């Protein structure tokens, strides 16, 4: 009886999961492996090997990777600095980092579009300072920049959390035993924050890989990511089978990258899985 | 065992929930699907005030988006406005209901010429009611562009304006520009000609600032680019906001389009739809709408009271010699559509 009660608590989530995760995935699978007339086919999935689609996928992987690396380079030192601050100011700084997330994601992208445009605020500022014009809007650089801007908090927070959990005693003990700063970093801090780094990487890499809104708005229609190809298949070409086939391939990429990252960050407890 | 039962229970209740979502149909509503920025929003409230019919209004960007939204079948649209070739495609698919023009007495306000034009996609004038029409051309900034060159699509390939060109983010419109520059029909299905056009568009890509549809006019008003491929009405609108802008329809020929209303097969409130159409044809409403949309209106009552300068404005009301040089888009067969889509993707993914 007690067991059943406990199970009922999971009911709402189970309901959610069935209706909004399992069923849709089943529908995607159905479309991915059928033709418009409903017969079985591999063509939708194998069409990822078409040069246009492959190019889009590779570009997505490349931009997502660059975005993740930049986020990591920015976040790790920042998390260390943050961790070294007084507890009171720590809360405030974290708050500042989360603040932009209170604003809608689309609005932030649109704001960047305005700021970066030919006659935008940034270029007029550069103009008055006598600096050369910043011509990055409608290029992959703008897309990466905005993805970094949007996803940075997802990298900072898990790393900061992992770092905050390291007991000061551990580091003191290491010092007592004669470890230098560099040894402490590589032997203690880095391994203990690995789980945070892994969560951060997954939380940045996966949305960056699948994103299409950023490239649509800041790429000026010139940066074709795999997400854009899928969107076009659904919205423009009315070819749900192709869209689903490519989504399926993308899902595999996401799952593989998550599995890979998780196998590296097993020990920690902040892992996503 | 218990677990399976619980799981089944959950699955069943999810389906129950989803099925329960279908609302009871309210006879006093009307679901309208229209292009973005294509109707004065006040009109919807005015219609509700006068008739008590509540309008659910939805927008889309390109005719292809509209087709997807409609075909998805999630919403039963009562009235849709879209362009010539897309209407023709839907008529061919049997998705369009005949309009009972007797219920729309104010049809008489519309100029007969446009029903003649409409015959290219609605041969017996049974299915559609013209809304606005226009052309596609180049909206340019007089300070940034040499005005002697804008009478040809060639200018969009001029290195001098590299990085300052906005192209249309729509398959048919972009191909139209390239095909017309090459002197071909904008409805061509020949692979060689399409490949040639594609080559031109790929060549042009590095010079393009961005591919846009509805935002092109805003970028031009803000002077972020020197020229843009836009619909004539957008140009008319932009001209009002920035006097440095001007519009030209290249002499190589262009696309003349008519956007019309039709009642799709999914319609549940055809009478409301007809009432709404009649409302849109009424002089005061059509005037209000014209002021907002700024495309050429087929409504004679509206045109008659406009300022003569506006009536003569070639940007808004394209003169006959320009229209004579224009072609109407025709629907393409599935195979050709796939070709267009693939070629377009290749352009978009080119360096």
């Amino acid at each position: 009886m007690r067991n059943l009660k406990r199970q009922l608590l999971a009911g709402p989530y189970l309901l959610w999961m069935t209706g909004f995760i399992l069923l849709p995935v089943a529908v995607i699978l159905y479309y991915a492996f059928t033709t418009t007339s409903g017969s079985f086919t591999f063509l939708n999935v194998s069409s990822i090997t078409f040069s246009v689609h492959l190019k889009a996928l590779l570009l997505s992987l490349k931009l997502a990777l660059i975005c993740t690396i930049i986020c990591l380079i920015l976040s790790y030192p920042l998390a260390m600095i943050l961790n070294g601050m007084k507890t009171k100011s720590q809360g405030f700084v974290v708050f500042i980092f989360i603040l932009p997330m209170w604003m809608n994601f689309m609005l932030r992208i649109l704001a960047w579009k305005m700021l970066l445009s030919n006659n935008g605020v940034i270029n007029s500022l550069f103009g008055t300072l006598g600096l050369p014009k910043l011509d990055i809007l409608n290029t992959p650089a703008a897309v990466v920049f905005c993805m970094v801007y949007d996803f940075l908090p997802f990298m900072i927070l898990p790393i900061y959390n992992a770092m905050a959990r390291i007991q000061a005693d551990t580091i003191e003990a290491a010092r007592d035993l004669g470890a230098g700063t560099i040894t402490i970093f590589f032997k203690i801090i880095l391994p203990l924050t690995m789980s945070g780094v892994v969560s951060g990487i997954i939380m940045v890499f996966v949305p960056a890989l699948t994103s299409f809104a950023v490239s649509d708005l800041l790429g000026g229609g010139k940066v074709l990511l795999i997400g854009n190809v899928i969107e076009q298949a659904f919205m423009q070409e009315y070819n749900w089978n192709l869209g689903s086939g490519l989504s399926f391939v993308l899902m595999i990429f996401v799952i593989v990258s998550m599995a890979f990252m998780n196998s590296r960050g097993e020990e920690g407890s902040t892992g996503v899985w | 065992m218990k677990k399976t039962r619980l799981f089944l229970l959950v699955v069943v209740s999810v389906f129950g929930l989803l099925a329960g979502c279908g609302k009871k149909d309210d006879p006093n509503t009307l679901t309208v699907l229209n292009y973005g920025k294509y109707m004065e929003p006040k009109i919807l409230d005015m219609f509700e005030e006068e008739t008590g019919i509540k309008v659910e209004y939805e927008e889309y960007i390109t005719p292809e988006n509209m087709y997807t939204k409609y075909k998805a079948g999630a919403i039963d649209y009562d009235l849709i406005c879209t362009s010539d070739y897309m209407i023709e495609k839907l008529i061919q698919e049997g998705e369009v209901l005949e309009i009972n023009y007797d219920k729309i007495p104010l049809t008489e306000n519309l100029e007969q010429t446009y029903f003649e034009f409409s015959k290219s996609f609605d041969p017996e004038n049974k299915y559609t009611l013209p809304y606005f029409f226009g052309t596609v051309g180049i909206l340019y900034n007089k300070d940034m562009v040499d005005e002697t060159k804008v009478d040809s699509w060639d200018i969009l390939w001029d290195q001098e304006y590299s990085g300052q060109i906005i192209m249309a983010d729509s398959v048919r419109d972009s191909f139209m520009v390239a095909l017309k520059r090459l002197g071909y029909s904008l409805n061509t299905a020949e692979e060689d000609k399409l490949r040639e056009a594609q080559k031109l568009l790929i060549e042009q890509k590095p010079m393009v600032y961005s591919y846009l549809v509805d935002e092109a006019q805003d970028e031009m008003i803000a002077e972020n680019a020197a020229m843009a491929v836009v619909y004539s009405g957008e140009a008319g609108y932009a001209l009002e906001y920035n006097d440095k802008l001007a519009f030209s329809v290249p002499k190589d020929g262009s696309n003349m389009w008519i956007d019309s209303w039709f009642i799709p097969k999914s319609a549940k409130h055809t009478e409301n739809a007809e009432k709404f159409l009649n409302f849109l044809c009424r002089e005061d409403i059509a005037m209000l709408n014209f002021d907002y949309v700024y495309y050429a209106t087929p409504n004679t009552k509206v045109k008659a009271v406009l300022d003569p300068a506006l009536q003569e404005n070639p940007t808004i009301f394209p003169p006959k010699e320009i229209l004579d040089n224009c072609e109407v888009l025709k629907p393409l067969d599935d195979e050709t559509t796939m070709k267009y889509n693939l070629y377009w993707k290749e352009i978009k993914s080119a360096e």
Side-chain angles (χ1 to χ4, degrees):
Chain A
M1 199 56 215
R2 242 189 86 207
N3 205 5
L4 183 72
K5 258 189 199 158
R6 210 181 283 166
Q7 278 183 10
L8 276 177
L9 280 177
Y13 179 66
L14 205 56
L15 207 73
W16 180 268
M17 198 172 73
T18 320
F20 299 108
I21 302 174
L22 294 180
L23 279 180
V25 169
V27 174
I28 290 176
L29 283 180
Y30 171 77
Y31 273 113
F33 289 102
T34 50
T35 60
T36 34
S37 53
S39 54
F40 181 81
T41 179
F42 268 121
L43 205 67
N44 298 316
V45 177
S46 65
S47 73
I48 188 69
T49 56
F50 289 7
S51 66
V52 221
H53 299 163
L54 211 56
K55 224 163 143 185
L57 181 65
L58 288 178
L59 185 63
S60 300
L61 283 167
K62 187 176 131 193
L63 296 191
L65 206 67
I66 296 175
C67 167
T68 312
I69 291 170
I70 296 178
C71 281
L72 192 61
I73 292 172
L74 289 176
S75 303
Y76 204 91
L78 197 84
M80 286 182 81
I81 295 168
L82 205 57
N83 196 41
M85 287 177 166
K86 275 186 257 142
T87 327
K88 238 190 201 163
S89 32
Q90 269 183 36
F92 180 69
V93 176
V94 170
F95 168 76
I96 287 180
F97 276 103
I98 299 179
L99 199 60
M101 291 169 78
W102 290 10
M103 221 190 316
N104 181 285
F105 168 75
M106 282 316 257
L107 283 180
R108 276 181 286 153
I109 305 177
L110 283 171
W112 273 115
K113 188 176 167 168
M114 297 286 190
L115 291 174
L116 292 174
S117 64
N118 265 350
N119 290 328
V121 178
I122 293 177
N123 271 329
S124 356
L125 198 71
F126 274 32
T128 43
L129 293 177
L131 292 166
K133 231 171 92 191
L134 188 67
D135 250 341
I136 72 160
L137 187 63
N138 305 327
T139 65
V143 177
V144 170
F145 175 79
C146 194
M147 286 200 294
V148 169
Y149 173 78
D150 269 324
F151 301 141
L152 196 60
F154 296 111
M155 184 68 95
I156 294 177
L157 292 179
I159 296 178
Y160 166 69
N161 273 339
M163 221 168 260
R165 263 207 304 271
I166 300 175
Q167 302 281 334
D169 307 356
T170 323
I171 291 169
E172 253 168 57
R175 265 197 214 292
D176 280 350
L177 296 171
T181 317
I182 295 171
T183 320
I184 290 176
F185 178 76
F186 282 107
K187 292 271 177 189
I188 298 175
I189 299 182
L190 195 59
L192 283 178
T193 50
M194 215 46 207
S195 62
V197 170
V198 167
S199 320
I201 289 178
I202 291 175
M203 277 157 77
V204 172
F205 184 74
V206 171
L209 180 64
T210 53
S211 114
F212 69 91
V214 180
S215 51
D216 218 27
L217 288 166
L218 292 178
K222 289 163 75 185
V223 182
L224 194 75
L225 299 184
I226 190 71
N228 301 100
V229 174
I230 294 172
E231 193 227 358
Q232 200 189 324
F234 277 101
M235 297 306 294
Q236 201 74 29
E237 301 167 21
Y238 190 59
N239 192 343
W240 291 23
N241 304 85
L242 176 66
S244 301
L246 294 176
S247 304
F248 175 70
V249 175
L250 192 54
M251 266 191 253
I252 292 175
F253 267 87
V254 168
I255 290 170
V256 167
S257 56
M258 282 175 81
F260 175 75
M261 285 317 294
N262 273 303
S263 69
R264 323 232 99 196
E266 217 82 302
E267 319 87 74
S269 50
T270 45
V272 176
W273 283 358
Chain B
M1 187 63 208
K2 241 182 212 162
K3 250 188 187 153
T4 3
R5 247 196 346 236
L6 186 69
F7 182 73
L8 279 177
L9 189 91
V10 167
V11 172
V12 169
S13 49
V14 164
F15 277 112
L17 256 177
L18 292 179
C21 279
K23 270 185 303 192
K24 240 181 90 193
D25 188 55
D26 180 351
N28 267 334
T29 59
L30 177 68
T31 314
V32 176
L33 182 59
N34 196 358
Y35 277 109
K37 297 188 190 170
Y38 214 28
M39 187 185 295
E40 161 67 63
K42 268 188 254 162
I43 289 177
L44 302 174
D45 296 333
M46 291 167 74
F47 182 66
E48 189 180 348
E49 221 166 88
E50 276 188 33
T51 60
I53 297 168
K54 191 169 164 29
V55 183
E56 311 251 353
Y57 189 74
E58 276 205 41
E59 296 183 335
Y60 65 88
I61 302 170
T62 65
E64 286 75 17
N65 289 156
M66 183 285 295
Y67 185 78
T68 303
K69 271 191 151 184
Y70 171 68
K71 281 282 183 165
I75 300 171
D76 294 326
Y77 295 105
D78 296 313
L79 193 59
I80 302 179
C81 169
T82 195
S83 303
D84 33 58
Y85 72 99
M86 195 43 88
I87 294 184
E88 191 169 354
K89 181 179 163 98
L90 287 164
I91 291 176
Q92 283 168 3
E93 290 176 11
E95 294 286 353
V96 183
L97 298 179
E98 287 185 26
I99 292 180
N100 183 354
Y101 294 94
D102 297 339
K103 294 272 184 64
I104 313 172
L106 292 177
T107 306
E108 63 177 30
N109 284 354
L110 306 183
E111 203 175 321
Q112 197 53 37
T113 332
Y114 301 106
F115 283 98
E116 290 301 318
F117 272 132
S118 302
K119 281 189 176 161
S120 73
F121 55 90
D122 177 11
E124 293 165 60
N125 290 134
K126 281 198 301 196
Y127 299 109
T128 57
L129 195 75
Y131 186 45
F132 286 106
F133 69 97
T135 56
V136 179
I138 303 172
L139 173 66
Y140 61 95
N141 188 313
K142 287 181 272 186
D143 289 357
M144 297 155 101
V145 174
D146 175 1
E147 283 199 74
T148 56
K149 289 193 197 159
V150 288
D151 60 348
S152 161
W153 294 117
D154 288 347
I155 194 170
L156 296 172
W157 275 265
D158 193 330
Q159 281 294 347
E160 200 186 318
Y161 305 108
S162 182
Q164 303 180 39
I165 299 165
I166 296 176
M167 276 296 278
D169 192 12
S170 151
V171 192
R172 294 296 299 268
D173 292 333
S174 276
F175 268 93
M176 181 280 285
V177 171
L179 287 168
K180 279 292 169 193
R181 185 181 179 222
L182 291 163
Y184 301 144
S185 158
L186 48 79
N187 291 312
T188 196
E190 286 167 60
E191 192 159 342
D192 305 348
K193 292 182 177 172
L194 288 177
R195 278 289 183 199
E196 232 180 298
Q198 186 202 26
K199 220 182 119 209
L200 271 188
L201 291 169
I202 289 178
E203 206 182 287
Q204 183 202 31
K205 196 183 171 194
M207 300 192 269
V208 172
Y209 177 65
S210 63
Y211 293 88
L212 297 172
V213 182
D214 288 337
E215 299 104 324
Q217 58 187 33
D218 304 325
E219 295 283 338
M220 287 306 293
I221 293 169
E223 298 180 16
N224 283 328
M227 57 190 138
V229 174
V230 298
Y231 304 121
S232 50
E234 278 182 88
Y237 174 91
L239 260 52
E240 293 282 302
Y241 284 85
N242 188 334
D243 354 307
K244 287 185 201 156
L245 300 180
F247 181 71
S248 147
V249 179
K251 61 176 187 324
D252 331 52
S254 178
N255 163 225
M256 183 238 170
W257 48 264
I258 306 178
D259 291 337
S260 307
W261 292 102
F262 69 92
I263 301 178
K265 224 168 66 181
S266 67
K268 292 235 167 80
H269 311 97
T270 42
E271 277 187 24
N272 295 353
E274 282 155 0
K275 271 187 209 164
F276 189 65
L277 288 179
N278 200 43
F279 188 73
L280 285 178
C281 291
R282 214 172 74 191
E283 194 186 333
D284 57 328
I285 302 299
M287 191 67 216
L288 199 64
N289 209 16
F290 170 77
D291 267 339
Y292 176 84
V293 180
Y294 238 58
Y295 278 80
T297 171
N299 198 310
T300 48
K301 292 265 170 71
V302 170
K303 200 179 170 189
V305 296
L306 290 179
D307 185 18
L310 199 58
Q311 282 187 40
E312 300 289 309
N313 184 333
T315 302
I316 298 172
F317 293 100
K320 194 172 170 301
E321 60 270 22
I322 286 181
L323 288 183
D324 283 348
N325 212 0
C326 288
E327 259 187 292
V328 178
L329 286 172
K330 298 299 243 171
L332 305 162
D333 59 67
D334 287 351
E335 198 194 329
T336 315
T337 306
M338 267 164 67
K339 262 186 219 158
Y340 267 88
N341 284 334
L342 178 66
Y343 294 177
W344 179 237
K345 259 192 288 200
E346 285 172 356
I347 295 167
K348 288 301 210 64
S349 71
E351 294 294 317

